[in-house]
Amino acid sequence: MRALTAAAIGLAAALALVFTVTAIGAPEGPTSPEPLLTTVPAHP
């Protein structure tokens, strides 16, 4: 029963965090024109 209670509290905390971030929204300001590098560039 304790595990179920702990899981419910954890889920509620996670949902509260998601809803808070959603309510705040994305920060204002300019974005970078440079693309994000997700891989290491290949060397010839």
Side-chain angles (χ1 to χ4, degrees):
M1 193 65 175
R2 284 187 206 168
L4 185 60
T5 303
I9 291 172
L11 181 61
L15 285 175
L17 180 63
V18 168
F19 288 140
T20 301
V21 171
T22 302
I24 293 173
E28 296 296 325
T31 58
S32 173
E34 295 293 325
L36 294 175
L37 296 176
T38 56
T39 59
V40 177
H43 295 287

